[in-house]
Amino acid sequence: ILNVEQSPQSLHVQEGDSTNFTCSFPSSNFYALHWYRWETAKSPEALFVMTLNGDEKKKGRISATLNTKEGYSYLYIKGSQPEDSATYLCAPRGPGGYQKVTFGTGTKLQVIP
Amino acid sequence: DAGVTQSPTHLIKTRGQQVTLRCSPKSGHDTVSWYQQALGQGPQFIFQYYEEEERQRGNFPDRFSGHQFPNYSSELNVNALLLGDSALYLCASRRWSTADGYTFGSGTRLTVV
């Protein structure tokens, strides 16, 4: 069982500000880490799948890094926009098809126009 | 290409009753997992199905049971409903043998009164 912590739990930023948040997980038995964005009244949407130590992924203004040795991943949003308002979930996964994906409680981001 | 579809979208049940929730996975996906999300929490893993068998289970009582059909669709059954079972139930699908993330359905909002 992977214990996942995300911080902060919630965040309010002004439009145009850049922001980042953290996902911490046990570094043993790691296989992949998934980031999801969950907007109100919608389904969680996959953002990134990260597998290798040092991985960096980017999608528009959103990017993520992964450190499997120390067990953390950062998600960065550059120039936040109101449409970025959502809960961001991280989910590390162990190896093999059997391993369940364990979700953190998420970071709820509110971008103020 | 249809994503994950869940039915019904909303449901109100009385304590002690039984409920069945349904999920059709995304085309090409063979693995279905069910999650319960209570207010203020991240999704909590209930169980995972692959090849019509329950492969993993979270910390949920036996009142929660499931099934996967040959077409990969799945059902979640909850017996003897409690008020605390009120939550959003999410179905998510993926391919068993890859590191790919989940595709989520929109969820079924269950209210137990």
Side-chain angles (χ1 to χ4, degrees):
Chain A
I1 297 177
L2 300 178
N3 296 314
V4 187
E5 294 184 2
Q6 288 190 248
S7 61
Q9 286 190 325
S10 65
L11 195 55
H12 291 78
V13 302
Q14 291 292 135
E15 181 176 352
D17 287 350
S18 294
T19 186
N20 67 85
F21 21 94
T22 306
C23 171
S24 301
F25 53 90
S27 55
S28 61
N29 209 32
F30 175 86
Y31 177 62
L33 182 126
H34 306 140
W35 279 101
Y36 295 85
R37 174 170 57 201
W38 195 353
E39 296 178 67
T40 303
K42 295 185 179 180
S43 307
E45 170 198 2
L47 283 174
F48 304 117
V49 179
M50 310 180 79
T51 56
L52 299 175
N53 185 46
D55 250 356
E56 290 188 33
K57 295 285 178 80
K58 188 174 181 181
K59 186 176 183 178
R61 293 177 292 97
I62 304 176
S63 60
T65 61
L66 177 66
N67 184 322
T68 61
K69 292 182 179 178
E70 297 182 36
Y72 64 83
S73 177
Y74 293 138
L75 189 79
Y76 301 91
I77 302 178
K78 184 178 179 182
S80 302
Q81 299 297 308
E83 58 265 30
D84 296 328
S85 297
T87 296
Y88 291 82
L89 295 167
C90 76
R93 184 186 145 190
Y98 280 93
Q99 294 297 322
K100 67 177 187 272
V101 172
T102 302
F103 286 88
T105 52
T107 293
K108 187 171 183 178
L109 173 66
Q110 184 72 38
V111 181
I112 303 164
Chain B
D1 174 34
V4 178
T5 57
Q6 291 187 245
S7 62
T9 54
H10 295 83
L11 201 53
I12 300 175
K13 289 286 189 178
T14 305
R15 275 183 302 176
Q17 284 189 313
Q18 178 265 343
V19 68
T20 297
L21 310 182
R22 295 179 175 81
C23 172
S24 292
K26 181 178 178 179
S27 177
H29 287 183
D30 55 13
T31 303
V32 173
S33 293
W34 287 91
Y35 290 85
Q36 180 196 65
Q37 196 205 19
L39 279 174
Q41 296 184 21
Q44 300 294 310
F45 175 72
I46 303 176
F47 40 54
Q48 179 189 78
Y49 277 85
Y50 172 65
E51 291 187 330
E52 302 177 52
E53 290 187 21
E54 183 183 293
R55 299 293 178 158
Q56 273 197 295
R57 189 178 182 91
N59 294 323
F60 279 79
D62 293 343
R63 298 186 296 109
F64 288 76
S65 64
H67 190 78
Q68 187 181 32
F69 300 93
N71 66 353
Y72 308 118
S73 67
S74 177
E75 290 182 348
L76 164 65
N77 301 292
V78 187
N79 294 322
L81 284 166
L82 303 174
L83 296 179
D85 295 331
S86 296
L88 179 68
Y89 289 86
L90 291 167
C91 171
S93 71
R94 65 176 176 91
R95 287 182 295 167
W96 174 260
S97 57
T98 72
D100 294 346
Y102 278 111
T103 299
F104 282 85
S106 300
T108 294
R109 173 71 63 184
L110 173 65
T111 302
V112 183
V113 297

PDB file of all heavy atoms in Angstrom, chain B residues 92-108:
ATOM      1  N   ALA B  92     -13.258   3.394 -13.290  1.00  0.00           N
ATOM      2  CA  ALA B  92     -12.113   3.784 -14.111  1.00  0.00           C
ATOM      3  C   ALA B  92     -11.595   2.569 -14.853  1.00  0.00           C
ATOM      4  O   ALA B  92     -11.571   1.465 -14.293  1.00  0.00           O
ATOM      5  CB  ALA B  92     -11.010   4.383 -13.236  1.00  0.00           C
ATOM      6  N   SER B  93     -11.183   2.758 -16.072  1.00  0.00           N
ATOM      7  CA  SER B  93     -10.670   1.623 -16.842  1.00  0.00           C
ATOM      8  C   SER B  93      -9.284   1.918 -17.399  1.00  0.00           C
ATOM      9  O   SER B  93      -8.896   3.083 -17.562  1.00  0.00           O
ATOM     10  CB  SER B  93     -11.640   1.273 -17.989  1.00  0.00           C
ATOM     11  OG  SER B  93     -11.613   2.265 -19.005  1.00  0.00           O
ATOM     12  N   ARG B  94      -8.566   0.865 -17.679  1.00  0.00           N
ATOM     13  CA  ARG B  94      -7.237   0.970 -18.294  1.00  0.00           C
ATOM     14  C   ARG B  94      -6.902  -0.365 -18.924  1.00  0.00           C
ATOM     15  O   ARG B  94      -7.686  -1.315 -18.834  1.00  0.00           O
ATOM     16  CB  ARG B  94      -6.157   1.330 -17.263  1.00  0.00           C
ATOM     17  CG  ARG B  94      -5.899   0.271 -16.194  1.00  0.00           C
ATOM     18  CD  ARG B  94      -4.754   0.693 -15.289  1.00  0.00           C
ATOM     19  NE  ARG B  94      -4.530  -0.238 -14.194  1.00  0.00           N
ATOM     20  CZ  ARG B  94      -3.694  -1.275 -14.251  1.00  0.00           C
ATOM     21  NH1 ARG B  94      -3.009  -1.511 -15.349  1.00  0.00           N
ATOM     22  NH2 ARG B  94      -3.540  -2.056 -13.199  1.00  0.00           N
ATOM     23  N   ARG B  95      -5.760  -0.425 -19.561  1.00  0.00           N
ATOM     24  CA  ARG B  95      -5.266  -1.702 -20.070  1.00  0.00           C
ATOM     25  C   ARG B  95      -4.363  -2.320 -19.025  1.00  0.00           C
ATOM     26  O   ARG B  95      -3.494  -1.642 -18.466  1.00  0.00           O
ATOM     27  CB  ARG B  95      -4.522  -1.506 -21.393  1.00  0.00           C
ATOM     28  CG  ARG B  95      -5.437  -1.206 -22.557  1.00  0.00           C
ATOM     29  CD  ARG B  95      -4.650  -1.059 -23.843  1.00  0.00           C
ATOM     30  NE  ARG B  95      -3.762   0.091 -23.775  1.00  0.00           N
ATOM     31  CZ  ARG B  95      -2.777   0.325 -24.638  1.00  0.00           C
ATOM     32  NH1 ARG B  95      -2.540  -0.541 -25.600  1.00  0.00           N
ATOM     33  NH2 ARG B  95      -2.024   1.393 -24.513  1.00  0.00           N
ATOM     34  N   TRP B  96      -4.563  -3.582 -18.759  1.00  0.00           N
ATOM     35  CA  TRP B  96      -3.897  -4.286 -17.656  1.00  0.00           C
ATOM     36  C   TRP B  96      -2.380  -4.185 -17.737  1.00  0.00           C
ATOM     37  O   TRP B  96      -1.723  -3.919 -16.742  1.00  0.00           O
ATOM     38  CB  TRP B  96      -4.301  -5.763 -17.712  1.00  0.00           C
ATOM     39  CG  TRP B  96      -3.608  -6.659 -16.744  1.00  0.00           C
ATOM     40  CD1 TRP B  96      -2.559  -7.477 -17.004  1.00  0.00           C
ATOM     41  CD2 TRP B  96      -3.934  -6.850 -15.357  1.00  0.00           C
ATOM     42  NE1 TRP B  96      -2.213  -8.167 -15.863  1.00  0.00           N
ATOM     43  CE2 TRP B  96      -3.024  -7.800 -14.852  1.00  0.00           C
ATOM     44  CE3 TRP B  96      -4.900  -6.295 -14.510  1.00  0.00           C
ATOM     45  CZ2 TRP B  96      -3.069  -8.225 -13.530  1.00  0.00           C
ATOM     46  CZ3 TRP B  96      -4.925  -6.719 -13.182  1.00  0.00           C
ATOM     47  CH2 TRP B  96      -4.011  -7.664 -12.720  1.00  0.00           C
ATOM     48  N   SER B  97      -1.826  -4.368 -18.921  1.00  0.00           N
ATOM     49  CA  SER B  97      -0.385  -4.614 -19.031  1.00  0.00           C
ATOM     50  C   SER B  97       0.422  -3.359 -19.341  1.00  0.00           C
ATOM     51  O   SER B  97       1.568  -3.477 -19.750  1.00  0.00           O
ATOM     52  CB  SER B  97      -0.132  -5.661 -20.116  1.00  0.00           C
ATOM     53  OG  SER B  97      -0.684  -5.215 -21.332  1.00  0.00           O
ATOM     54  N   THR B  98      -0.133  -2.181 -19.139  1.00  0.00           N
ATOM     55  CA  THR B  98       0.605  -0.961 -19.446  1.00  0.00           C
ATOM     56  C   THR B  98       0.694  -0.062 -18.212  1.00  0.00           C
ATOM     57  O   THR B  98      -0.009  -0.271 -17.230  1.00  0.00           O
ATOM     58  CB  THR B  98      -0.074  -0.166 -20.576  1.00  0.00           C
ATOM     59  OG1 THR B  98      -1.279   0.424 -20.068  1.00  0.00           O
ATOM     60  CG2 THR B  98      -0.390  -1.057 -21.763  1.00  0.00           C
ATOM     61  N   ALA B  99       1.558   0.943 -18.306  1.00  0.00           N
ATOM     62  CA  ALA B  99       1.688   1.929 -17.231  1.00  0.00           C
ATOM     63  C   ALA B  99       0.718   3.082 -17.420  1.00  0.00           C
ATOM     64  O   ALA B  99       0.710   4.027 -16.638  1.00  0.00           O
ATOM     65  CB  ALA B  99       3.118   2.464 -17.177  1.00  0.00           C
ATOM     66  N   ASP B 100      -0.112   2.993 -18.455  1.00  0.00           N
ATOM     67  CA  ASP B 100      -1.040   4.084 -18.757  1.00  0.00           C
ATOM     68  C   ASP B 100      -1.957   4.362 -17.576  1.00  0.00           C
ATOM     69  O   ASP B 100      -2.280   3.481 -16.783  1.00  0.00           O
ATOM     70  CB  ASP B 100      -1.900   3.735 -19.977  1.00  0.00           C
ATOM     71  CG  ASP B 100      -1.081   3.640 -21.245  1.00  0.00           C
ATOM     72  OD1 ASP B 100       0.079   4.097 -21.231  1.00  0.00           O
ATOM     73  OD2 ASP B 100      -1.592   3.101 -22.231  1.00  0.00           O
ATOM     74  N   GLY B 101      -2.386   5.611 -17.503  1.00  0.00           N
ATOM     75  CA  GLY B 101      -3.307   5.997 -16.448  1.00  0.00           C
ATOM     76  C   GLY B 101      -4.721   5.543 -16.734  1.00  0.00           C
ATOM     77  O   GLY B 101      -5.019   4.945 -17.765  1.00  0.00           O
ATOM     78  N   TYR B 102      -5.564   5.821 -15.787  1.00  0.00           N
ATOM     79  CA  TYR B 102      -6.967   5.463 -15.900  1.00  0.00           C
ATOM     80  C   TYR B 102      -7.743   6.482 -16.721  1.00  0.00           C
ATOM     81  O   TYR B 102      -7.422   7.659 -16.743  1.00  0.00           O
ATOM     82  CB  TYR B 102      -7.612   5.414 -14.512  1.00  0.00           C
ATOM     83  CG  TYR B 102      -7.376   4.129 -13.753  1.00  0.00           C
ATOM     84  CD1 TYR B 102      -6.577   4.121 -12.626  1.00  0.00           C
ATOM     85  CD2 TYR B 102      -7.977   2.947 -14.155  1.00  0.00           C
ATOM     86  CE1 TYR B 102      -6.372   2.948 -11.916  1.00  0.00           C
ATOM     87  CE2 TYR B 102      -7.778   1.777 -13.451  1.00  0.00           C
ATOM     88  CZ  TYR B 102      -6.970   1.790 -12.335  1.00  0.00           C
ATOM     89  OH  TYR B 102      -6.781   0.630 -11.641  1.00  0.00           O
ATOM     90  N   THR B 103      -8.796   6.007 -17.341  1.00  0.00           N
ATOM     91  CA  THR B 103      -9.843   6.862 -17.874  1.00  0.00           C
ATOM     92  C   THR B 103     -11.041   6.694 -16.953  1.00  0.00           C
ATOM     93  O   THR B 103     -11.464   5.564 -16.684  1.00  0.00           O
ATOM     94  CB  THR B 103     -10.224   6.466 -19.310  1.00  0.00           C
ATOM     95  OG1 THR B 103      -9.067   6.595 -20.150  1.00  0.00           O
ATOM     96  CG2 THR B 103     -11.319   7.373 -19.840  1.00  0.00           C
ATOM     97  N   PHE B 104     -11.558   7.813 -16.475  1.00  0.00           N
ATOM     98  CA  PHE B 104     -12.645   7.769 -15.501  1.00  0.00           C
ATOM     99  C   PHE B 104     -13.990   8.035 -16.147  1.00  0.00           C
ATOM    100  O   PHE B 104     -14.105   8.801 -17.113  1.00  0.00           O
ATOM    101  CB  PHE B 104     -12.431   8.848 -14.431  1.00  0.00           C
ATOM    102  CG  PHE B 104     -11.418   8.476 -13.407  1.00  0.00           C
ATOM    103  CD1 PHE B 104     -10.075   8.691 -13.632  1.00  0.00           C
ATOM    104  CD2 PHE B 104     -11.807   7.898 -12.212  1.00  0.00           C
ATOM    105  CE1 PHE B 104      -9.124   8.345 -12.680  1.00  0.00           C
ATOM    106  CE2 PHE B 104     -10.877   7.554 -11.250  1.00  0.00           C
ATOM    107  CZ  PHE B 104      -9.531   7.775 -11.490  1.00  0.00           C
ATOM    108  N   GLY B 105     -15.009   7.438 -15.553  1.00  0.00           N
ATOM    109  CA  GLY B 105     -16.376   7.800 -15.869  1.00  0.00           C
ATOM    110  C   GLY B 105     -16.773   9.025 -15.060  1.00  0.00           C
ATOM    111  O   GLY B 105     -16.000   9.534 -14.232  1.00  0.00           O
ATOM    112  N   SER B 106     -17.975   9.509 -15.309  1.00  0.00           N
ATOM    113  CA  SER B 106     -18.461  10.709 -14.617  1.00  0.00           C
ATOM    114  C   SER B 106     -18.963  10.405 -13.214  1.00  0.00           C
ATOM    115  O   SER B 106     -19.200  11.321 -12.437  1.00  0.00           O
ATOM    116  CB  SER B 106     -19.585  11.354 -15.422  1.00  0.00           C
ATOM    117  OG  SER B 106     -19.121  11.728 -16.695  1.00  0.00           O
ATOM    118  N   GLY B 107     -19.118   9.125 -12.920  1.00  0.00           N
ATOM    119  CA  GLY B 107     -19.495   8.760 -11.572  1.00  0.00           C
ATOM    120  C   GLY B 107     -20.987   8.597 -11.371  1.00  0.00           C
ATOM    121  O   GLY B 107     -21.807   9.089 -12.150  1.00  0.00           O
ATOM    122  N   THR B 108     -21.320   7.885 -10.312  1.00  0.00           N
ATOM    123  CA  THR B 108     -22.704   7.762  -9.838  1.00  0.00           C
ATOM    124  C   THR B 108     -22.755   8.361  -8.446  1.00  0.00           C
ATOM    125  O   THR B 108     -21.998   7.952  -7.556  1.00  0.00           O
ATOM    126  CB  THR B 108     -23.151   6.294  -9.775  1.00  0.00           C
ATOM    127  OG1 THR B 108     -23.200   5.760 -11.092  1.00  0.00           O
ATOM    128  CG2 THR B 108     -24.521   6.179  -9.116  1.00  0.00           C
TER     129      THR B 108
END
